[in-house]
């Protein structure tokens, strides 16, 4: 079991694209979903897949268990999913010792771009790249659960304040 | 992905004990639970563990995906489970070409004994051993979900009719 500690931001501009070290197309969906826990299936590059159990209400720290699974299983579970199937490309960028993941959404959420940085401990204070926008850590509109289960949210797409 | 097709019965007496071919102590609990799907963790013999995703409302046939996981992960997920932890010993008995699993519950459900037979197809008609009692296939009081999440049910324990 791993503790997942991450901060999440909108992105102010495209300057991050000059620093990309990897790009991974992903499809993901929830197999089971409760208010404080979920099981998600995700495929990467259309070639590998994983099943992830996340437990915990704290948006900054959650228990996470992850297992590789067969691609066929993943596709079958995606077809039986709860809510929307999310398609996005995940880019990585390194900045002052931290790896940033920039998710560029496709499909219904085309136009949405979210950057996440994984922390080693809650007290970590990563230097914020200049292309980072408003922090949305803990804003449930930007949670994968909300994106997967709620109707298209215009305020999410256009980054409007509350 | 496997299709799980099974019939479930109460047990009329202890005569099955003479034919036991294996006995496996199990602990299990639900990690996530919705009305038509669940993710369950189970340990066997205190040495191995598996994570099982079941999807589908039909009590006779369900989609089932099962993965071996580390025992430590299983114990951590059991500690974070939804509802009760179920402890039981699963015995197997072969009868006219079908394997019967007899679950003898411990803890809160001590006294409850349920026999299940897995079918290859829905039309299979296994010969019923003489020690088999009332069929409870589809009776949700005897589902693992009900046992895991509801208060002790006296009607389940003592096999009362509706």
């Amino acid at each position: 079991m791993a503790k997942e500690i991450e901060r999440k931001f909108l992105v102010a501009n495209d300057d991050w694209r000059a620093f990309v070290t990897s790009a991974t197309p992903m499809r993901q969906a929830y197999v089971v979903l409760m208010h404080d826990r979920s099981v998600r299936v995700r495929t990467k590059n259309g070639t590998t897949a994983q099943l992830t159990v996340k437990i915990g209400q704290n948006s900054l720290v959650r228990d996470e268990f992850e297992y590789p699974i067969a691609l066929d299983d993943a596709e079958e579970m995606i077809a039986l999913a709860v809510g929307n199937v999310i398609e996005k490309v995940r880019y990585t960028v390194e900045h002052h010792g931290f790896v940033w993941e920039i998710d560029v959404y496709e499909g219904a959420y085309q136009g949405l771009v979210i950057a996440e940085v994984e922390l080693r401990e809650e007290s970590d204070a990563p230097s914020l790249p200049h292309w980072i926008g408003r922090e949305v850590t803990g804003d449930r509109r930007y949670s994968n659960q909300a994106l997967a289960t709620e109707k298209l949210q215009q305020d999410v797409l256009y980054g409007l304040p509350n």
Side-chain angles (χ1 to χ4, degrees), chain A residues 95-116:
Chain A
H95 183 81
H96 292 290
F98 285 88
V99 174
W100 289 77
E101 295 173 337
I102 299 109
D103 286 349
V104 177
Y105 287 76
E106 299 172 353
Y109 281 109
Q110 186 147 21
L112 178 63
V113 181
I114 293 180
E116 290 184 0

Side-chain angles (χ1 to χ4, degrees), chain A residues 17 31 34 42 56 67 79 94-95 112 118 129 141 143 148:
Chain A
R17 289 188 181 269
V31 181
M34 290 172 73
R42 174 186 278 170
Y67 307 101
E94 204 178 314
H95 183 81
L112 178 63
E118 187 150 350
R141 294 175 300 172
S143 71

Side-chain angles (χ1 to χ4, degrees), chain A residues 4-43:
Chain A
E4 179 188 51
I5 315 179
E6 60 188 21
R7 290 175 68 186
K8 191 179 288 196
F9 299 83
L10 299 180
V11 168
N13 59 56
D14 268 355
D15 291 354
W16 55 271
R17 289 188 181 269
F19 308 100
V20 164
T21 54
S22 72
T24 309
M26 294 180 170
R27 292 180 74 224
Q28 64 184 52
Y30 286 99
V31 181
V32 194
L33 195 55
M34 290 172 73
H35 69 289
D36 70 336
R37 55 191 61 208
S38 65
V39 177
R40 188 193 64 201
V41 62
R42 174 186 278 170
T43 67

Side-chain angles (χ1 to χ4, degrees), chain A residues 11-132:
Chain A
V11 168
N13 59 56
D14 268 355
D15 291 354
W16 55 271
R17 289 188 181 269
F19 308 100
V20 164
T21 54
S22 72
T24 309
M26 294 180 170
R27 292 180 74 224
Q28 64 184 52
Y30 286 99
V31 181
V32 194
L33 195 55
M34 290 172 73
H35 69 289
D36 70 336
R37 55 191 61 208
S38 65
V39 177
R40 188 193 64 201
V41 62
R42 174 186 278 170
T43 67
K44 291 183 179 175
N45 291 310
T47 55
T48 61
Q50 60 200 183
L51 189 73
T52 307
V53 178
K54 295 191 187 197
I55 305 177
Q57 282 186 302
N58 182 337
S59 60
L60 191 62
V61 189
R62 291 197 295 187
D63 290 323
E64 184 173 311
F65 305 85
E66 197 157 84
Y67 307 101
I69 64 171
L71 189 63
D72 283 353
D73 281 11
E75 294 294 351
E76 288 179 44
M77 280 191 255
I78 285 174
L80 297 165
V82 177
N84 312 317
V85 178
I86 297 285
E87 302 193 53
K88 62 187 179 185
V89 179
R90 171 163 292 180
Y91 299 90
T92 57
V93 168
E94 204 178 314
H95 183 81
H96 292 290
F98 285 88
V99 174
W100 289 77
E101 295 173 337
I102 299 109
D103 286 349
V104 177
Y105 287 76
E106 299 172 353
Y109 281 109
Q110 186 147 21
L112 178 63
V113 181
I114 293 180
E116 290 184 0
V117 60
E118 187 150 350
L119 311 182
R120 288 170 289 266
E121 39 194 289
E122 283 189 65
S123 58
D124 272 358
S127 150
L128 302 188
H130 75 274
W131 43 265
I132 278 298

